[in-house]
Amino acid sequence: MAGTERVRRAAQTTAAGGRNGHGAAQDVTTTPAGSQSLAARPAPRDTAWHEFRTVFVPLVITFPGAAAVASTVIYLMPPIFTDARWNGVLAVLAGVAFGLVIWISASFMLRRLSRADGANPCVHGELVRDYLSLRARLDSLASTTDPVALCAVHEARLQLDPVGSDLGADGAGRGSVGSRWTLGSGYTSVWRRLHRAEECLINIEPPEAVVAQALNDELRLQGARMPMRSDLLAKLRQALLAIDPESARYLGQSTRAPESGAGAEPEARMVIRMVRHAISEFRDDRRDGLIRARNNLLGTALYTSLIAYLVLGLAMVAGTSTRIITAASAFFLVGAAVGLFRHLRLASARDTQM
């Protein structure tokens, strides 16, 4: 009986405490509509230190040039020691220190390169516009009850949801931080997701919107240098006529209208989606190729500059005369200037710029 009485009293105490503390607990865990509680509010994940660490390794390319310039200037100044080799060691050590300072300072000042809106603001703005447009089109189709359409809407949402958080376009933050933005691969990844979501909408959008997009794809194919362009163009025109025979007057050439049937329009939509996928893959692969070429060029430049600085440092440590160091520096600068002007001349002669 005593044990039962103690249990009953403990239950009453707990219930009273819950009634008395309910208001305080409610104040802590709930907030007005549209805001977030302190307990559920996430801590800032992308700090300045995280941004600094992200761009620190890619910006190592600033180290060899700054170190070489500082070492050359110090070595050509009036000597401090009577032994030329000690002057060379001093010049190399001072150049390394100066290069590290420039490297760290550049990483701190250019830490915005770790974000999508800082590494390439123009491309970021274009991606945000495409994302918002696709999100609005998707929201207008979310009320459908067709199982096939619901599957397409769900697939499109799976592709678009990570894009909003990566670009910071959903209002939840400033976007993600990572070396993929510094190296450029993050932009092509977002492009691929947007293209996959756009392809999903082809199955559920009104016929007028599908016809407009197919006509735009026809213009892309007419001037494209991609494999099987003629075959894709023929399939696109046939599918376009299956959806709307009246669109024949907008096509670049006369095309025989296909036979209509019960499943003609869904099949035509799938053909248009297949053609759009081929076009998007071709464009995304070209972008990936440009980014890989840029990154390979930066890696080659870094490797070459490090080797050149090592050769310069060995020459200084060996006590090479200042006349030889001056002549070698002059030849190196002249070669770099010639290569730069040649690159500018070739770039100005191209129709498109990288």
Side-chain angles (χ1 to χ4, degrees), residues 78-246:
I80 299 178
F81 303 101
T82 56
D83 192 350
R85 290 177 295 182
W86 283 107
N87 292 322
V89 172
L90 176 63
V92 171
L93 293 178
V96 170
F98 181 78
L100 289 175
V101 171
I102 295 297
W103 182 10
I104 296 174
S105 301
S107 301
F108 180 78
M109 291 185 295
L110 299 178
R111 62 184 186 274
R112 60 182 179 84
L113 296 178
S114 61
R115 296 185 178 274
D117 57 348
N120 198 328
C122 295
V123 175
H124 174 264
E126 181 180 354
L127 291 175
V128 169
R129 288 192 298 269
D130 292 344
Y131 166 77
L132 295 178
S133 176
L134 286 174
R135 177 62 69 179
R137 291 161 56 186
L138 183 62
D139 292 340
S140 65
L141 300 170
S143 60
T144 181
T145 58
D146 184 16
V148 178
L150 287 176
C151 180
V153 169
H154 179 66
E155 183 181 356
R157 287 190 185 279
L158 290 179
Q159 297 291 343
L160 285 181
D161 288 342
V163 173
S165 59
D166 288 341
L167 299 178
D170 54 1
R174 296 176 55 191
S176 61
V177 172
S179 58
R180 56 183 180 141
W181 306 116
T182 309
L183 300 178
S185 60
Y187 297 103
T188 57
S189 177
V190 171
W191 252 311
R192 291 184 186 276
R193 286 187 174 275
L194 292 178
H195 291 159
R196 298 296 86 77
E198 191 175 20
E199 294 163 11
C200 295
L201 298 182
I202 294 177
N203 294 340
I204 55 178
E205 282 190 319
E208 297 81 5
V210 176
V211 169
Q213 297 178 37
L215 291 175
N216 190 22
D217 291 339
E218 186 201 18
L219 296 177
R220 291 173 176 173
L221 287 173
Q222 286 179 355
R225 298 179 180 178
M226 58 182 300
M228 302 179 63
R229 180 185 66 88
S230 302
D231 188 25
L232 292 175
L233 191 57
K235 286 182 171 60
L236 178 66
R237 288 168 175 168
Q238 290 291 330
L240 185 58
L241 292 177
I243 295 178
D244 185 10
E246 298 298 328

Side-chain angles (χ1 to χ4, degrees), residues 307-331:
I307 295 299
Y309 181 63
L310 288 177
V311 173
L312 177 65
L314 289 176
M316 291 179 179
V317 172
T320 307
S321 64
T322 57
R323 294 179 55 187
I324 297 178
I325 296 296
T326 303
S329 302
F331 279 116

Side-chain angles (χ1 to χ4, degrees), residues 32-53:
S35 61
Q36 196 174 17
S37 64
L38 294 176
R41 184 176 302 167
R45 59 175 182 176
D46 299 332
T47 60
W49 172 243
H50 187 193
E51 297 173 357
F52 172 81
R53 288 186 304 169

